[in-house]
Amino acid sequence: MDISALAMEGASVLVQAMASDLWQGVRPRFAALFGKRGDDVAEELEQVNAEIEDGEATREDIEQEWAARLRRVLKADPEAARVLQAIIDEVAPQQERTVYSSVNVINSEVSGTAVQIGHVHGTSRGADLGGMRGVRALGDALGGRYDRDPRSHRGE
């Protein structure tokens, strides 16, 4: 895996961990990647987490920022790549994938087109346009679901 891809994956795992019970264990491990500056980085990560919680920063912006920082660390220290990969391998499987579902009911005959449109904050991974069993419509029926998988940039 190239350094840029590893850095992006690491940043994604880092930001996802901020919103989970894994955060207290993940924060010092990521900070340690920065060597002597680890204590300062740990404090900065706490500030960044607070910014996300307060709505001052988006998760996507933070991922981009930390991917760049991790990329620089990985270039300077080849051993850091092994350590980062170990963190990812341990933490990523523990992060729960958010599952979204919705139920829509039309209690009358539809003579035109019934469309539901919605957006879940985050990057859309794909759409599920199936699951229309038992539907009887006199016109078109269209449905979709978009969600974000924290590991979506891996192509899974």
Side-chain angles (χ1 to χ4, degrees):
M1 178 180 290
D2 72 76
I3 288 176
S4 294
L6 181 60
M8 190 63 211
E9 186 171 12
S12 178
V13 166
L14 173 68
V15 172
Q16 291 295 323
M18 288 180 180
S20 74
D21 294 337
L22 301 172
W23 178 234
Q24 293 307 316
V26 169
R27 181 178 48 89
R29 293 179 70 189
F30 269 91
L33 289 168
F34 291 83
K36 295 176 183 176
R37 299 180 316 135
D39 289 340
D40 293 337
V41 171
E43 288 180 30
E44 188 177 353
L45 286 168
E46 280 300 320
Q47 292 172 347
V48 167
N49 189 25
E51 289 173 7
I52 291 172
E53 288 177 359
D54 294 342
E56 297 173 20
T58 67
R59 292 187 182 282
E60 291 81 8
D61 289 343
I62 299 303
E63 277 185 25
Q64 293 297 317
E65 174 186 341
W66 283 89
R69 294 180 72 173
L70 286 169
R71 190 172 37 256
R72 288 189 293 273
V73 166
L74 297 175
K75 284 182 181 179
D77 180 8
E79 176 63 16
R82 186 191 63 74
V83 173
L84 179 57
Q85 187 64 60
I87 295 169
I88 291 168
D89 290 345
E90 181 183 328
V91 174
Q94 296 179 50
Q95 293 177 331
E96 293 181 24
R97 181 173 178 206
T98 304
V99 177
Y100 302 95
S101 65
S102 62
V103 176
N104 302 289
V105 178
I106 299 174
N107 289 319
S108 65
E109 290 186 20
V110 177
S111 60
T113 301
V115 177
Q116 159 136 18
I117 299 173
H119 175 74
V120 176
H121 180 71
T123 303
S124 296
R125 179 176 185 199
D128 176 5
L129 298 175
M132 301 293 285
R133 280 179 288 170
V135 172
R136 279 193 256 158
L138 300 175
D140 295 330
L142 176 67
R145 184 180 126 223
Y146 296 87
D147 63 4
R148 179 179 180 165
D149 179 345
R151 296 171 294 277
S152 63
H153 63 276
R154 283 196 229 168
E156 294 179 351

